[in-house]
Amino acid sequence: MQITLPPPVVAAVAGTDTGFPVRRVFCVGRNYAEHAREMGRDPDREPPFFFSKWAETVVPDGTTIPYPQATKNFHYEAELVVAIGKAGRNISVDAALDHVFGYATGLDMTRRDLQLEARSQGRPWDTGKNVEQSSPLGLIHPASQIGHLNKGAIRLTVNGAVKQSADLADLIWPVADIVSFLSGLYQIEPGDLIYTGTPAGVGPVVSGDEMVVEIDALTPLKIKVGDPVA
């Protein structure tokens, strides 16, 4: 029997046709103070923590993602995404940005009911977070072209209505700190993506909704929610 594997995930990069091969996806939990509070946590006492998702959850701008199975509470989370271009372990904060290839808009779509059920029982979040097509990713802009992002507006709209609005300066752990901390847990590698956390205002979407994520200096990400998984 011959087994056919799906093609590797390659994200689009501004100004090139070669793309960015996606290796791993790391996500930072509760990295904006107001979002931490709306999720019932104290943002002043918590070091950064991470969960991971399959590379195949990454889908490009313009995708219509199906409403997933086993949930009745599918949430958007707008995020700044960091694309890693250089390997490293135990990287200092001062050197961390040297390992960043570029930045993109992103969404961490979440089966919130499953996540909260798992959290209440002290279980991993995998079923709530690691879901097919749940990591939409916009065009990656190389840091060599736009610089490094430590401030600037981040906003999400659903059907034109603003649902999330904040500034990257509000990140509890900014990009350099995140990269440094993560490299103390794993050797980061070219192709890794880091979703840096979402502002307050998360909420549900239904089939037919259109989400738009905008971050200053980056190309907006537009994603539609399709019919439920059969």
Coordinates of all heavy atoms in Angstrom, one line a residue, residues 106-194:
G106 N -2.1 37.1 12.1 CA -2.5 35.7 12.3 C -3.8 35.6 13.1 O -4.2 36.6 13.8
L107 N -4.4 34.5 13.1 CA -5.5 34.1 14.0 C -5.3 32.8 14.6 O -4.8 31.8 14.0 CB -6.8 34.0 13.1 CG -7.5 35.2 12.7 CD1 -8.5 34.9 11.6 CD2 -8.3 35.8 13.9
D108 N -5.6 32.7 15.9 CA -5.5 31.5 16.7 C -7.0 31.1 17.0 O -7.6 31.5 18.0 CB -4.7 31.7 18.0 CG -4.9 30.5 18.9 OD1 -5.1 29.4 18.4 OD2 -4.7 30.7 20.1
M109 N -7.6 30.4 16.1 CA -9.0 30.0 16.2 C -9.1 28.9 17.3 O -8.3 28.0 17.3 CB -9.6 29.6 14.9 CG -9.5 30.6 13.8 SD -10.4 32.2 14.2 CE -12.1 31.5 14.3
T110 N -10.2 29.0 18.1 CA -10.2 28.2 19.3 C -11.6 27.7 19.5 O -12.6 28.4 19.5 CB -9.8 29.1 20.5 OG1 -8.5 29.6 20.3 CG2 -9.9 28.3 21.8
R111 N -11.7 26.3 19.8 CA -12.9 25.8 20.3 C -13.0 26.1 21.8 O -12.5 25.3 22.6 CB -13.0 24.3 20.0 CG -13.0 23.9 18.5 CD -13.3 22.5 18.2 NE -12.2 21.6 18.5 CZ -12.0 20.4 18.0 NH1 -12.9 19.9 17.2 NH2 -11.0 19.6 18.4
R112 N -13.6 27.2 22.1 CA -13.5 27.8 23.5 C -14.2 26.8 24.5 O -13.7 26.7 25.6 CB -14.1 29.1 23.5 CG -13.9 29.8 24.9 CD -12.5 30.3 25.0 NE -12.2 31.4 24.2 CZ -11.0 31.8 23.8 NH1 -9.9 31.1 24.2 NH2 -10.8 32.8 23.0
D113 N -15.3 26.2 24.1 CA -15.9 25.4 25.1 C -15.1 24.2 25.5 O -15.0 23.8 26.6 CB -17.3 24.9 24.6 CG -17.3 24.5 23.1 OD1 -16.3 24.5 22.4 OD2 -18.4 24.2 22.6
L114 N -14.4 23.6 24.5 CA -13.5 22.5 24.8 C -12.2 22.9 25.5 O -11.8 22.2 26.4 CB -13.0 21.8 23.5 CG -14.2 21.2 22.6 CD1 -13.6 20.3 21.5 CD2 -15.1 20.4 23.4
Q115 N -11.7 24.1 25.2 CA -10.6 24.7 26.0 C -10.9 24.9 27.4 O -10.2 24.5 28.3 CB -10.1 26.0 25.4 CG -8.9 26.5 26.1 CD -8.7 28.0 25.9 OE1 -9.6 28.7 25.5 NE2 -7.5 28.5 26.2
L116 N -12.1 25.5 27.7 CA -12.4 25.8 29.1 C -12.8 24.6 29.9 O -12.5 24.5 31.1 CB -13.6 26.8 29.1 CG -13.3 28.2 28.5 CD1 -14.6 29.1 28.6 CD2 -12.2 28.9 29.3
E117 N -13.4 23.6 29.2 CA -13.6 22.3 29.9 C -12.3 21.6 30.3 O -12.2 21.1 31.4 CB -14.4 21.4 29.0 CG -14.8 20.0 29.6 CD -15.5 19.1 28.7 OE1 -15.7 19.5 27.5 OE2 -15.9 18.0 29.1
A118 N -11.3 21.6 29.4 CA -10.0 21.0 29.7 C -9.3 21.8 30.8 O -8.8 21.2 31.7 CB -9.2 21.0 28.4
R119 N -9.4 23.1 30.7 CA -8.7 23.9 31.7 C -9.3 23.7 33.1 O -8.6 23.6 34.1 CB -8.8 25.4 31.4 CG -7.9 26.3 32.2 CD -8.1 27.8 31.9 NE -9.3 28.4 32.5 CZ -9.7 29.6 32.4 NH1 -8.9 30.5 31.6 NH2 -10.7 30.1 33.0
S120 N -10.7 23.5 33.2 CA -11.3 23.3 34.5 C -10.9 22.0 35.1 O -11.0 21.8 36.3 CB -12.8 23.4 34.3 OG -13.3 22.3 33.6
Q121 N -10.5 21.0 34.3 CA -10.1 19.7 34.8 C -8.6 19.5 34.8 O -8.1 18.4 35.1 CB -10.7 18.6 33.9 CG -12.3 18.7 33.8 CD -12.9 17.6 32.9 OE1 -12.4 16.5 32.9 NE2 -13.9 18.0 32.2
G122 N -7.9 20.6 34.6 CA -6.4 20.6 34.7 C -5.8 19.7 33.5 O -4.7 19.2 33.7
R123 N -6.5 19.7 32.4 CA -6.0 18.9 31.3 C -5.4 19.8 30.2 O -5.6 21.0 30.2 CB -7.2 18.1 30.7 CG -7.7 17.1 31.6 CD -8.9 16.4 31.0 NE -9.5 15.3 31.9 CZ -10.6 14.7 31.7 NH1 -11.3 14.9 30.6 NH2 -11.0 13.7 32.5
P124 N -4.6 19.2 29.3 CA -4.1 20.0 28.2 C -5.1 20.7 27.3 O -6.3 20.2 27.2 CB -3.2 19.0 27.4 CG -3.0 17.9 28.3 CD -4.1 17.8 29.2
W125 N -4.8 21.7 26.6 CA -5.7 22.5 25.7 C -5.8 21.9 24.3 O -6.5 22.6 23.5 CB -5.3 23.9 25.7 CG -5.3 24.7 26.9 CD1 -5.7 24.3 28.2 CD2 -5.0 26.1 27.1 NE1 -5.6 25.3 29.1 CE2 -5.2 26.4 28.4 CE3 -4.6 27.1 26.2 CZ2 -5.0 27.7 28.9 CZ3 -4.3 28.3 26.7 CH2 -4.5 28.7 28.0
D126 N -5.2 20.8 24.0 CA -5.0 20.4 22.6 C -6.3 20.4 21.8 O -6.4 20.9 20.7 CB -4.4 19.1 22.5 CG -2.9 19.1 23.0 OD1 -2.7 19.4 24.2 OD2 -2.0 18.7 22.2
T127 N -7.4 19.8 22.4 CA -8.6 19.7 21.6 C -9.3 21.0 21.4 O -10.1 21.2 20.5 CB -9.6 18.8 22.3 OG1 -9.8 19.2 23.7 CG2 -9.0 17.3 22.4
G128 N -9.0 22.0 22.3 CA -9.6 23.3 22.1 C -8.8 24.2 21.1 O -9.3 25.0 20.4
K129 N -7.5 24.0 21.0 CA -6.6 24.8 20.2 C -6.1 24.2 18.9 O -6.0 24.9 17.9 CB -5.4 25.2 21.1 CG -5.8 26.2 22.2 CD -6.1 27.6 21.6 CE -6.1 28.7 22.7 NZ -6.3 30.0 22.2
N130 N -5.6 22.9 19.0 CA -5.0 22.3 17.9 C -6.0 21.7 16.9 O -6.3 20.5 17.0 CB -4.0 21.3 18.4 CG -3.0 20.9 17.3 OD1 -2.8 21.5 16.3 ND2 -2.2 19.8 17.6
V131 N -6.6 22.5 16.1 CA -7.7 22.1 15.3 C -7.4 22.4 13.8 O -6.7 23.4 13.5 CB -9.0 22.9 15.7 CG1 -10.2 22.5 14.9 CG2 -9.2 22.9 17.2
E132 N -7.8 21.6 12.9 CA -7.5 21.8 11.5 C -7.9 23.2 11.0 O -9.0 23.7 11.4 CB -8.3 20.8 10.6 CG -7.9 19.3 10.8 CD -8.7 18.6 11.8 OE1 -9.3 19.2 12.7 OE2 -8.8 17.3 11.7
Q133 N -7.0 23.8 10.3 CA -7.2 25.2 9.7 C -7.4 26.3 10.7 O -8.1 27.3 10.5 CB -8.3 25.1 8.7 CG -8.1 24.1 7.5 CD -9.0 24.3 6.4 OE1 -9.2 25.4 5.9 NE2 -9.7 23.2 6.0
S134 N -6.9 26.0 11.9 CA -7.2 27.0 13.0 C -6.1 28.1 13.2 O -6.2 28.8 14.2 CB -7.3 26.2 14.4 OG -6.1 25.6 14.7
S135 N -5.1 28.1 12.3 CA -4.0 29.1 12.5 C -3.8 29.9 11.2 O -2.7 29.8 10.6 CB -2.7 28.4 12.8 OG -2.8 27.6 14.0
P136 N -4.8 30.6 10.7 CA -4.7 31.4 9.5 C -3.5 32.4 9.7 O -3.3 32.9 10.7 CB -6.0 32.1 9.4 CG -7.0 31.2 10.1 CD -6.2 30.6 11.2
L137 N -2.8 32.6 8.6 CA -1.6 33.4 8.6 C -1.6 34.3 7.4 O -1.8 33.9 6.2 CB -0.3 32.5 8.5 CG 1.0 33.1 8.6 CD1 1.3 33.7 10.0 CD2 2.1 32.2 8.2
G138 N -1.3 35.6 7.6 CA -1.2 36.5 6.6 C 0.2 36.5 5.9 O 1.0 35.7 6.2
L139 N 0.4 37.4 5.0 CA 1.7 37.6 4.3 C 2.8 37.9 5.3 O 2.6 38.8 6.1 CB 1.5 38.7 3.2 CG 2.7 38.9 2.3 CD1 2.8 37.7 1.3 CD2 2.4 40.1 1.5
I140 N 3.9 37.2 5.2 CA 5.0 37.4 6.1 C 5.9 38.6 5.5 O 6.3 38.5 4.3 CB 5.9 36.2 6.3 CG1 5.1 35.1 7.0 CG2 7.2 36.5 7.1 CD1 5.9 33.8 7.1
H141 N 6.1 39.6 6.3 CA 6.9 40.7 5.9 C 8.3 40.6 6.6 O 8.4 40.6 7.8 CB 6.3 42.0 6.3 CG 5.1 42.4 5.4 ND1 5.1 43.2 4.4 CD2 3.8 41.9 5.6 CE1 3.9 43.3 3.8 NE2 3.1 42.5 4.5
P142 N 9.4 40.5 5.8 CA 10.7 40.4 6.4 C 11.1 41.6 7.3 O 10.8 42.7 6.9 CB 11.7 40.2 5.2 CG 10.8 39.7 4.1 CD 9.5 40.3 4.3
A143 N 11.7 41.3 8.4 CA 12.1 42.4 9.3 C 13.2 43.3 8.6 O 13.3 44.4 8.9 CB 12.7 41.8 10.6
S144 N 13.9 42.7 7.6 CA 14.9 43.5 6.9 C 14.2 44.6 6.1 O 14.9 45.6 5.7 CB 15.7 42.6 6.0 OG 14.8 42.0 5.0
Q145 N 12.9 44.5 5.8 CA 12.2 45.5 5.1 C 11.4 46.4 6.0 O 11.2 47.6 5.6 CB 11.2 44.8 4.1 CG 12.0 43.9 3.0 CD 11.0 43.2 2.1 OE1 9.8 43.5 2.2 NE2 11.5 42.3 1.3
I146 N 10.8 45.9 7.0 CA 9.9 46.8 7.9 C 10.4 47.0 9.3 O 9.8 47.8 10.0 CB 8.5 46.1 8.0 CG1 8.6 44.8 8.7 CG2 7.9 45.9 6.6 CD1 7.2 44.2 9.1
G147 N 11.6 46.5 9.6 CA 12.1 46.6 11.0 C 11.4 45.7 11.9 O 10.6 44.8 11.5
H148 N 11.6 45.8 13.2 CA 11.0 44.9 14.2 C 9.8 45.7 14.9 O 9.9 46.9 15.1 CB 12.1 44.5 15.3 CG 13.1 43.6 14.7 ND1 12.8 42.3 14.5 CD2 14.4 43.8 14.4 CE1 13.9 41.7 14.0 NE2 14.9 42.6 13.9
L149 N 8.8 44.9 15.2 CA 7.6 45.5 15.6 C 7.5 45.4 17.2 O 7.4 44.3 17.7 CB 6.4 44.8 15.0 CG 6.3 44.8 13.5 CD1 5.1 44.1 13.0 CD2 6.5 46.2 12.9
N150 N 7.4 46.5 17.8 CA 7.2 46.6 19.3 C 6.1 47.5 19.7 O 5.8 47.7 20.8 CB 8.5 47.0 20.0 CG 9.1 48.3 19.5 OD1 8.4 49.1 18.9 ND2 10.4 48.5 19.7
K151 N 5.5 48.1 18.7 CA 4.3 48.9 18.9 C 3.5 49.0 17.6 O 4.0 48.6 16.5 CB 4.7 50.3 19.4 CG 5.5 51.1 18.4 CD 5.9 52.5 19.0 CE 6.8 53.3 18.0 NZ 7.1 54.6 18.5
G152 N 2.3 49.5 17.7 CA 1.5 49.6 16.5 C 0.1 49.0 16.8 O 0.0 48.0 17.5
A153 N -0.9 49.5 16.1 CA -2.3 49.0 16.4 C -2.5 47.6 15.9 O -1.9 47.2 14.8 CB -3.2 50.0 15.7
I154 N -3.2 46.9 16.6 CA -3.7 45.5 16.2 C -5.2 45.6 16.4 O -5.7 46.0 17.4 CB -3.1 44.4 17.0 CG1 -3.7 43.0 16.7 CG2 -3.1 44.6 18.5 CD1 -2.9 41.8 17.2
R155 N -5.9 45.1 15.3 CA -7.4 45.2 15.4 C -8.0 44.0 14.6 O -7.5 43.5 13.6 CB -7.8 46.5 14.7 CG -9.3 46.8 14.7 CD -9.6 48.2 14.1 NE -9.6 48.1 12.7 CZ -10.3 48.9 11.9 NH1 -11.0 49.9 12.4 NH2 -10.3 48.8 10.6
L156 N -9.2 43.6 15.1 CA -9.9 42.5 14.4 C -11.4 43.0 14.3 O -12.0 43.6 15.2 CB -9.9 41.2 15.2 CG -10.7 40.1 14.6 CD1 -10.0 38.8 14.6 CD2 -12.1 40.0 15.3
T157 N -11.9 42.8 13.1 CA -13.3 43.1 12.8 C -14.0 41.8 12.4 O -13.4 40.9 11.8 CB -13.5 44.1 11.7 OG1 -12.9 43.7 10.5 CG2 -12.9 45.4 12.1
V158 N -15.3 41.7 12.7 CA -16.1 40.6 12.2 C -17.3 41.2 11.5 O -18.0 42.0 12.1 CB -16.6 39.7 13.4 CG1 -17.6 38.6 12.9 CG2 -15.5 39.1 14.2
N159 N -17.4 41.0 10.2 CA -18.4 41.6 9.3 C -18.4 43.1 9.5 O -19.4 43.8 9.4 CB -19.8 41.0 9.7 CG -19.8 39.5 9.6 OD1 -19.2 38.9 8.8 ND2 -20.6 38.9 10.5
G160 N -17.2 43.6 9.6 CA -17.0 45.1 9.6 C -17.1 45.7 11.0 O -16.7 46.9 11.2
A161 N -17.5 45.0 12.0 CA -17.6 45.5 13.4 C -16.4 45.2 14.1 O -15.9 44.1 14.2 CB -18.8 44.9 14.1
V162 N -15.8 46.3 14.8 CA -14.6 46.1 15.6 C -14.8 45.3 16.8 O -15.7 45.6 17.6 CB -14.0 47.5 15.9 CG1 -12.7 47.3 16.8 CG2 -13.6 48.3 14.7
K163 N -14.1 44.2 17.0 CA -14.2 43.3 18.1 C -13.0 43.4 19.1 O -13.1 43.2 20.3 CB -14.5 41.9 17.7 CG -15.7 41.7 16.9 CD -17.0 42.0 17.7 CE -18.2 41.7 16.9 NZ -19.5 42.0 17.6
Q164 N -11.8 43.5 18.5 CA -10.6 43.6 19.2 C -9.8 44.8 18.8 O -9.7 45.1 17.5 CB -9.7 42.4 19.1 CG -10.3 41.1 19.7 CD -9.4 39.9 19.5 OE1 -9.3 39.4 18.4 NE2 -8.7 39.5 20.5
S165 N -9.3 45.6 19.7 CA -8.5 46.8 19.3 C -7.5 47.1 20.5 O -7.9 47.3 21.6 CB -9.4 48.0 19.1 OG -8.6 49.1 18.7
A166 N -6.2 47.1 20.1 CA -5.2 47.3 21.1 C -3.9 47.8 20.4 O -3.9 48.2 19.3 CB -4.9 46.0 21.9
D167 N -2.8 47.7 21.1 CA -1.5 48.1 20.6 C -0.5 47.1 20.9 O -0.5 46.5 22.0 CB -1.1 49.5 21.1 CG 0.1 50.1 20.3 OD1 1.2 49.7 20.5 OD2 -0.2 51.0 19.5
L168 N 0.4 46.8 20.0 CA 1.5 45.8 20.3 C 2.3 46.2 21.5 O 2.9 45.3 22.2 CB 2.4 45.6 19.1 CG 1.7 45.1 17.8 CD1 2.8 45.0 16.7 CD2 1.0 43.8 18.0
A169 N 2.4 47.5 21.8 CA 3.1 47.9 23.0 C 2.4 47.4 24.3 O 3.1 47.4 25.4 CB 3.1 49.5 23.1
D170 N 1.2 46.9 24.2 CA 0.5 46.3 25.4 C 0.9 44.9 25.7 O 0.4 44.3 26.7 CB -1.0 46.4 25.2 CG -1.5 47.8 25.0 OD1 -0.9 48.7 25.6 OD2 -2.6 48.0 24.4
L171 N 1.7 44.2 24.8 CA 2.2 42.9 25.1 C 2.9 42.8 26.4 O 3.8 43.6 26.7 CB 3.1 42.4 24.0 CG 2.5 42.0 22.7 CD1 3.6 41.9 21.6 CD2 1.8 40.7 22.8
I172 N 2.4 41.9 27.3 CA 3.1 41.7 28.6 C 4.6 41.2 28.3 O 5.5 41.7 29.0 CB 2.4 40.6 29.4 CG1 0.9 41.1 29.7 CG2 3.1 40.3 30.7 CD1 0.1 40.0 30.4
W173 N 4.7 40.3 27.4 CA 6.1 39.8 27.0 C 6.2 40.2 25.6 O 5.7 39.5 24.7 CB 6.2 38.3 27.2 CG 6.1 37.9 28.7 CD1 4.9 37.5 29.3 CD2 7.1 37.8 29.6 NE1 5.2 37.3 30.6 CE2 6.5 37.4 30.9 CE3 8.5 38.1 29.6 CZ2 7.3 37.3 32.0 CZ3 9.2 37.9 30.8 CH2 8.6 37.5 32.0
P174 N 7.1 41.2 25.2 CA 7.3 41.6 23.8 C 8.1 40.5 23.1 O 8.6 39.5 23.7 CB 8.0 42.9 23.9 CG 8.6 42.9 25.3 CD 7.7 42.1 26.2
V175 N 8.3 40.7 21.8 CA 8.8 39.7 20.9 C 10.2 39.2 21.4 O 10.4 38.0 21.5 CB 8.9 40.2 19.5 CG1 9.7 39.3 18.6 CG2 7.5 40.5 18.9
A176 N 11.1 40.1 21.7 CA 12.4 39.7 22.1 C 12.4 38.8 23.4 O 13.1 37.8 23.4 CB 13.3 40.9 22.4
D177 N 11.5 39.1 24.3 CA 11.4 38.3 25.5 C 10.8 37.0 25.2 O 11.3 35.9 25.8 CB 10.5 39.0 26.5 CG 11.1 40.3 27.0 OD1 11.1 41.3 26.3 OD2 11.6 40.4 28.1
I178 N 9.8 36.9 24.3 CA 9.2 35.7 23.9 C 10.2 34.7 23.3 O 10.3 33.5 23.6 CB 8.0 35.9 23.0 CG1 6.9 36.6 23.7 CG2 7.5 34.6 22.4 CD1 5.8 37.1 22.8
V179 N 11.0 35.3 22.3 CA 11.9 34.4 21.6 C 13.0 33.9 22.6 O 13.4 32.7 22.6 CB 12.6 35.2 20.5 CG1 13.7 34.5 19.8 CG2 11.5 35.6 19.4
S180 N 13.5 34.8 23.4 CA 14.5 34.4 24.4 C 14.0 33.3 25.3 O 14.6 32.3 25.6 CB 14.9 35.6 25.2 OG 15.8 35.2 26.3
F181 N 12.8 33.5 25.9 CA 12.2 32.5 26.8 C 12.0 31.2 26.2 O 12.3 30.1 26.7 CB 10.9 33.1 27.4 CG 10.4 32.4 28.6 CD1 10.8 32.9 29.9 CD2 9.7 31.2 28.5 CE1 10.3 32.2 31.0 CE2 9.2 30.6 29.7 CZ 9.6 31.1 30.9
L182 N 11.4 31.2 24.9 CA 11.1 30.0 24.2 C 12.4 29.2 23.9 O 12.5 28.0 24.0 CB 10.4 30.2 22.9 CG 10.0 29.0 22.1 CD1 9.0 28.1 22.9 CD2 9.3 29.5 20.8
S183 N 13.5 29.9 23.6 CA 14.8 29.3 23.3 C 15.4 28.7 24.5 O 16.4 27.9 24.4 CB 15.7 30.3 22.7 OG 16.3 31.2 23.6
G184 N 14.9 29.0 25.7 CA 15.4 28.3 26.9 C 14.6 27.0 27.2 O 15.0 26.3 28.1
L185 N 13.6 26.8 26.4 CA 12.8 25.5 26.5 C 13.1 24.6 25.4 O 13.1 23.4 25.6 CB 11.3 25.9 26.5 CG 10.8 26.7 27.7 CD1 9.4 27.1 27.4 CD2 10.9 26.0 29.0
Y186 N 13.3 25.1 24.2 CA 13.6 24.3 23.0 C 14.7 25.1 22.2 O 14.8 26.3 22.3 CB 12.4 24.2 22.1 CG 11.1 23.7 22.7 CD1 10.2 24.6 23.3 CD2 10.9 22.4 22.9 CE1 9.0 24.2 23.9 CE2 9.7 21.9 23.5 CZ 8.8 22.8 24.0 OH 7.6 22.4 24.6
Q187 N 15.3 24.3 21.3 CA 16.1 25.0 20.3 C 15.2 25.5 19.2 O 14.5 24.7 18.6 CB 17.2 24.1 19.6 CG 17.9 24.8 18.5 CD 19.3 24.2 18.2 OE1 20.1 24.1 19.1 NE2 19.5 23.8 16.9
I188 N 15.1 26.8 19.0 CA 14.2 27.3 18.0 C 14.9 27.1 16.6 O 16.2 27.1 16.6 CB 13.9 28.8 18.2 CG1 15.1 29.7 18.2 CG2 13.1 29.0 19.5 CD1 14.8 31.2 18.2
E189 N 14.1 27.0 15.6 CA 14.7 26.6 14.3 C 14.0 27.5 13.2 O 12.9 27.9 13.3 CB 14.4 25.1 14.0 CG 15.0 24.1 14.9 CD 16.5 23.9 14.7 OE1 17.0 24.5 13.7 OE2 17.1 23.2 15.5
P190 N 14.8 27.7 12.1 CA 14.1 28.3 10.9 C 12.9 27.6 10.5 O 12.8 26.4 10.5 CB 15.2 28.2 9.8 CG 16.5 28.1 10.6 CD 16.2 27.3 11.8
G191 N 11.8 28.3 10.2 CA 10.5 27.7 9.9 C 9.6 27.7 11.1 O 8.4 27.5 10.8
D192 N 10.0 28.0 12.3 CA 9.1 28.1 13.4 C 8.3 29.3 13.3 O 8.8 30.4 12.9 CB 9.9 28.0 14.7 CG 10.5 26.7 15.0 OD1 10.1 25.7 14.4 OD2 11.4 26.6 15.9
L193 N 7.1 29.3 13.8 CA 6.2 30.4 13.9 C 5.8 30.6 15.4 O 5.6 29.6 16.1 CB 4.9 30.3 13.1 CG 5.0 30.2 11.6 CD1 3.7 29.9 10.9 CD2 5.6 31.5 11.0
I194 N 5.8 31.8 15.8 CA 5.3 32.1 17.2 C 4.1 33.0 17.1 O 4.3 34.2 16.7 CB 6.4 32.7 18.1 CG1 7.7 31.8 18.1 CG2 5.9 32.9 19.5 CD1 8.9 32.5 18.8

